[in-house]
Amino acid sequence: MTGRHGAARRDWWTAAAVGALILATAFPFYWAIVSSFTPESQLFRSPSLFPRQFVLAHYRALFVERQFWVPIRNSLVVAGTTTVFCVTVGAFCAYALARLRFRGKVPLLGLILAVSMFPQISVVSPLYLLLRSLHLINTYPGLILPYLTFAMPLTVWLLVGIFRQLPAELEEAAMVDGASRLRTFREVVIPLALPGLATTAILTFVYSWNEFLFALSFTLGPERQTVPVAIALLRGQYQVPWGQILASAIVATAPVALLVLAFQRRIVQGLTAGAVKG
Amino acid sequence: MRGWERGRALPRGDPGYGVERREARLAWWMVSPAVAAIALVALFPLAWTVWESFHQHDLRMPWLGRPFIGLDNYVEAAGDPRFWAAMGHTLFFAVVSVSVELILGTFLALAMNRAFRGRALMRASILVPWAMPTVVSGLLWKFMFDGDAGIANAALVKAGVFDQPVVWFIHTGLAWVPVILADVWKTTPFVALLLLAGLQNIDASLYEAARIDGASAWRQFRFVTLPLLRPAMMVALIFRTLDAFRVFDLIYVMTGGGPGTSTEPIALYTFNSLLQYLRFGYGSALSVIVFAVTFALALLYIRFLGAGLTETRT
Amino acid sequence: MASVTLDRIRKTYPNGHVAARDLSLEIADGEFMVLVGPSGCGKSTALRVIAGLETPTGGRVLIGDRDVTDLPPQERDIAMVFQSYALYPHMTVRENLGFGLRMRGVDARVIGERTTRTAEALGLEPVLDRKPGQLSGGQRQRVALGRAMVREPLAFLFDEPLSNLDAKLRVETRAELARLHRRLAATIVYVTHDQEEALTLGGRVAVLRDGVVEQVAPPMELYRRPATAFVGGFVGSPAMNLLPGQIVGRTDGATLGVRPHDVAIVGAGQGDVDARVDVVEPRGSELLIYLRLAGESGQEVRVVAPPEPMIPADTSVGVRFDRERMHWFDKGGRALGR
């Protein structure tokens, strides 16, 4: 398959593959969006690809009857706080790991990597008992604290990579110029690492927003449930309220999707940087 | 601010020792909040879980107290058919979904590597499934495979594959189909991304050299692409296997482990033992087993990427 | 300004690599000292040890009379110009220049004055409010220089600052540096791998090899009286010929070093040794001729000859060595008395 004919045929296959990818990925969305605007009566009859009716009933029910803005608020608070805390604390830790000389650095890195691989289920029971004794079940801190389990290692790991990629000579120049390590960190490293910090924040936010197991285990009712839990527990009186479930799915995904689309390039870099040595 | 640095010229001891010691002290200060957080919410709880697994602790029967019973919980697990079934389900799920994702992902990565137009669109379509909560993606697919409202049935019946709509989630074998499809849909893009990054690290001139040497496209793939893509594949493989082994959200929301317990993975069984049956001792033993297997897999990963961990520049 | 002294510096990295082995050097106050040598010789390590960016495994560093071995770079009051300039990309030129003074808590007005003065001296006023990314290579170099100058440090350290410039800029900047040295009477420690640059700039030049100083002397002395065969072969271009030989009355082998300029081509049989012409490179003002000595060794000898007459390849000729300009080295490479 050489020569111009081969190349043309390969290009065709490529285009077909890419087209198939986009179609396969987009279809469930498309279908969910369409269905969320389909009246209840139509939903359970044989569906068609291009429906005729569009209603807002499901969305209205979601927000008016089910108070869906409550889980949204909860998710925003929990994911937001976790992100801010982890990126801040993690930045200091990551800088020390990336640039400072001290014994125990390698085991520490290994530890952080290991913790990031903990199965969440393995820490649910002690965390539950701990939170219960601190009266933190069904509270914001009661979720933020457990979220540190995965968010802290994640941010530290990503930020170590980001700091290492900065040219060390800049920090050396700053030190020769008279800046202490901390001042160098504040005045030279952080400003230059801002894009990487932003990416880390976005990734941490996405993972926190999507978290399910801890949110399910450590909240009791709608006042503190996060979006994934609220959606999973949507129950109807007689049948599964698919219309509302799909509406909530769209509402839950839309903001995150927009965020991700706005920063795609960075996110892709962040996701693959730590994994593939380049 | 610079108090600790206001060093005096030290006597001729170990040269530079003071500087390094001060730097190490600063390092520990910078590191300790994060380490404390990790110790508090991950390490101590894990240790507690291990300790708890050696006790009988049934919250439904508090009058029994919390006696130390050694390895009895583990013995019970060894003889527990539901435990082994759960491990089997998990293994099955991991093997099938990871294989499909790897093959599809490679294919996609190759296609994306070539395509020049529509890169942004591709990236977008890849990221959105990754960015959504697993439960949401599970629900999307559950809806599509719903017995009544599902479009899958509508399409299959119309295409003549089935006579009438199938209730997927009632039959064990069939229930796995939408579950695995949902997982593949959500994570193949991520695998493709990892592999794409690996592909882009392969020097283009290697392909040119191969072409000049007369290698066909297939041979180029076999002798240039595959070997050089191996590291990225290993990373993807290990990442995904770890994730697949810990599967919880997806199954909880799609089948709840059913029909019966025939799709129940080990994480869900552990969850049920803890928070449904309130058997904290037994559940902790199961937690430890899950952790042990995950840890073994993770060790593989660390050993494989070990070289990169210690590279630093001061 | 102050003197800089390296006293028996040793630097061994954790992986076992020895970068400096008993490296001692005294740089006088106001001196322009060049450290030169092949890659891996330890010159950059020496510079970084002076700066405090590396801590030595053994030995001391003194700036002036002060033992600074245990002080971090912040407290040594030296300025460094990096090979890549290391300008802060997110700060303007003005902020780059003023950074060091700001770190030391200097009054803002003084910073402003000194910055303006330095910028004027280097012709940087028009770009004071630009960021490094918007400057040309030459301008960036000057900002790096300015950043060092504005601090009025005890000594200047230069780490191969010219290697990123094109040939023309390199020559210009060399002259600039020489002028700077004269004007400020600054103590300068300058690292380069280019021996020509070293000879042109240095008041004294230290030739390093494998973590030790092989010889430190003014450029001409290095050229005329190399202390070792290595220095002889390193300094001067085209490189000195090093021929294995034997000295009457000594049993161990010796090496004869003679520069291509100090070898004359004569008719076959009329010189010290016979040879055959291998390759001739016309260089405009001279010919660079590669010869192969007759005999089984076939040793290559480089000769610089006047442009006329042209000597074709494969000619048999004789070579005569200038008796005044022959250098003898013993088995260990050390120079023997004349």
Side-chain angles (χ1 to χ4, degrees), chain A residues 124-139:
Chain A
V124 165
S125 52
L127 281 179
Y128 182 84
L129 294 173
L130 173 70
L131 292 174
R132 195 175 67 164
S133 64
L134 293 174
H135 302 287
L136 287 179
I137 295 284
N138 213 40
T139 65

Side-chain angles (χ1 to χ4, degrees), chain C residues 155-178:
Chain C
F156 288 93
L157 306 178
F158 289 90
D159 190 1
E160 308 217 36
L162 302 187
S163 47
N164 287 346
L165 299 175
D166 63 54
K168 178 163 170 291
L169 261 177
R170 214 178 296 170
V171 172
E172 281 175 18
T173 319
R174 256 189 353 220
E176 186 98 35
L177 283 173

Side-chain angles (χ1 to χ4, degrees), chain A residues 113-126:
Chain A
L113 183 61
V115 170
S116 72
M117 297 186 182
F118 271 23
Q120 284 185 298
I121 190 68
S122 302
V123 291
V124 165
S125 52

Side-chain angles (χ1 to χ4, degrees), chain A residues 28 31 232 234-235 240 242 245-246, chain B residues 134-153 168-169 175 177-179 181-182 250-257:
Chain A
W31 187 235
L234 272 177
R235 298 257 180 276
V240 181
W242 279 119
I245 293 178
L246 294 169
Chain B
T134 313
V135 296
V136 171
S137 62
L139 286 171
L140 285 186
W141 283 87
K142 187 172 180 187
F143 177 65
M144 290 200 294
F145 276 80
D146 186 67
D148 300 317
I151 194 167
N153 274 335
W168 298 84
F169 293 102
V177 173
V179 168
L181 277 177
L250 196 67
I251 310 228
Y252 181 89
V253 88
M254 287 186 89
T255 65

Side-chain angles (χ1 to χ4, degrees), chain A residues 121 124-126 128-129, chain B residues 48-49 52-62 64-67 69-83 267-288:
Chain A
I121 190 68
V124 165
S125 52
Y128 182 84
L129 294 173
Chain B
W48 187 95
T49 301
E52 178 82 339
S53 72
F54 298 136
H55 294 74
Q56 183 186 32
H57 193 185
D58 196 328
L59 289 183
R60 287 172 309 179
M61 298 188 274
L64 288 178
R66 192 171 160 260
I69 56 170
L71 294 174
D72 282 359
N73 282 322
Y74 294 94
V75 172
E76 181 182 339
D80 182 356
R82 192 167 162 187
F83 165 74
L268 184 54
Y269 182 39
T270 310
F271 177 79
N272 286 332
S273 305
L274 287 170
L275 293 180
Q276 191 180 68
Y277 305 130
L278 298 176
R279 297 189 61 202
F280 270 59
Y282 187 58
S284 296
L286 295 179
S287 297
V288 172

Side-chain angles (χ1 to χ4, degrees), chain A residues 101 169-181 183-184 187-189 191-192, chain C residues 48 53 55 73-74 78 80 82 84 86-90 99-100 102-104 147 151:
Chain A
R101 296 165 292 185
E169 280 195 335
L170 286 178
E171 292 160 64
E172 288 176 352
M175 289 200 292
V176 169
D177 266 350
S180 67
R181 275 285 186 191
R183 226 155 160 200
T184 309
E187 305 234 10
V188 176
V189 175
L192 289 176
Chain C
R48 289 169 68 85
L53 295 171
T55 41
Q74 293 87 341
I78 43 95
M80 187 155 163
F82 292 82
S84 68
L87 301 181
Y88 308 121
H90 57 297
F99 186 78
R102 190 159 60 86
M103 288 301 117
R104 276 149 215 275
R147 194 171 63 179
R151 287 187 34 215

